Amino acid sequence: MENIHIAMPIVLVKLFFSQQALAENPTSNIDKAGNEIRKMSLIQVKTMSLDLPGSNKTSVQGCTNDRDFCFELNSSEDRDTPTLKITRVYDQESNTSFELSKLKYDRDHLDLSVWPNSLQMADAMQGLMIGIEENYKTMYSGGGATSTKLHLFHLYPTSNGLGIRETLVLPMRGSAMIRACFSEQDCKQRRGAYHDEYELTSKIQLDKKIASGFPKLIFQTHATSFPPKQEDPECTFRRVFSFDNLKKTYKPNKALPICEEYIHFND
């Protein structure tokens, strides 16, 4: 990931506050070491070029509520690789940018959003973590599917400023509706249930017992299917992720199930 600097001309701007920040993790989450999941205040800026069709740009600007850390996530229809610009870190102005080469933007099927939280380390020398969400959608005859993956990035101090690395990828949300009735007889046998439906939700919390070092993350999912309405025991699971200091990534205490019925991505 290279440090770059981008000037983005704005022709037409539309602003709105993200409502997603109000829906997830409504309370603070802190462990004994002082590591904390903090809320982010998010603004989305849409830029539409009147002269160059197909070059529309989207920027999501985020700050912690105390404005100790701020950034911009930029993506556009004519540029495959999004960029992350850090504008403020630990109450100091910054102008560092990174190309997020593992993330892609696709106007038809895939867009990007910001996880409305940051993971603040108790020790400032350990840096902090922010999340970028990949939101996938597809439609097909008689149904459709949506999925969201979270990419957790670790921003850490270096001798030249800031470095960045991806530490974790998680399936956050997913839903699907699949046509199951193809004849009147099918509908009668299914008692009017025209579709098979699948839904997965999740939440991330800190292991509050941790008293030093990097936080441990507790990841809990809940998956249901219909008909009939029932919990899926395989895809409803709990995992604890610990930070691997050698590989600089989070590792689960047990492998995650695949759960293809709920998480749909063209990987």
Side-chain angles (χ1 to χ4, degrees), residues 43 75 93-94 106 114 131 137 141 174 178 182 192 201-202 237 239:
I43 300 175
S75 58
E93 298 296 326
S94 173
D106 179 340
V114 175
K137 61 182 179 181
S141 177
I178 302 171
F182 296 92
T201 59
S202 70
F237 60 88
R239 296 291 187 272

Side-chain angles (χ1 to χ4, degrees), residues 166-229:
E166 186 178 84
T167 62
L168 182 61
V169 180
L170 287 173
M172 292 298 287
R173 298 180 293 278
S175 64
M177 185 170 65
I178 302 171
R179 180 182 176 185
C181 287
F182 296 92
S183 68
E184 185 176 344
Q185 182 63 29
D186 288 342
C187 294
K188 287 181 179 179
Q189 290 178 346
R190 292 174 59 87
R191 298 181 180 180
Y194 295 98
H195 299 85
D196 290 332
E197 299 179 16
Y198 303 89
E199 183 175 13
L200 182 142
T201 59
S202 70
K203 62 181 179 180
I204 298 175
Q205 296 177 306
L206 297 186
D207 183 341
K208 296 184 178 181
K209 300 188 300 294
I210 299 303
S212 63
F214 276 83
K216 285 188 177 181
L217 306 179
I218 299 174
F219 180 60
Q220 177 70 58
T221 69
H222 183 244
T224 59
S225 61
F226 171 85
K229 182 76 170 184

Side-chain angles (χ1 to χ4, degrees), residues 94 136 159 170 184 240 248:
S94 173
Y136 175 78
S159 58
L170 287 173
E184 185 176 344
V240 178
K248 306 300 183 184

Side-chain angles (χ1 to χ4, degrees), residues 10 16 24 36 40 52 83 111 116 126 132 140 148 161 163 168 175 184 186 190 201 218 221-222 255 263:
I10 296 179
F16 60 91
E24 297 183 25
E36 183 179 7
M40 302 285 285
L52 298 173
T83 61
D111 64 29
Q126 292 179 335
I132 308 299
Y140 37 81
T148 296
L168 182 61
S175 64
E184 185 176 344
D186 288 342
R190 292 174 59 87
T201 59
I218 299 174
T221 69
H222 183 244
I263 304 298

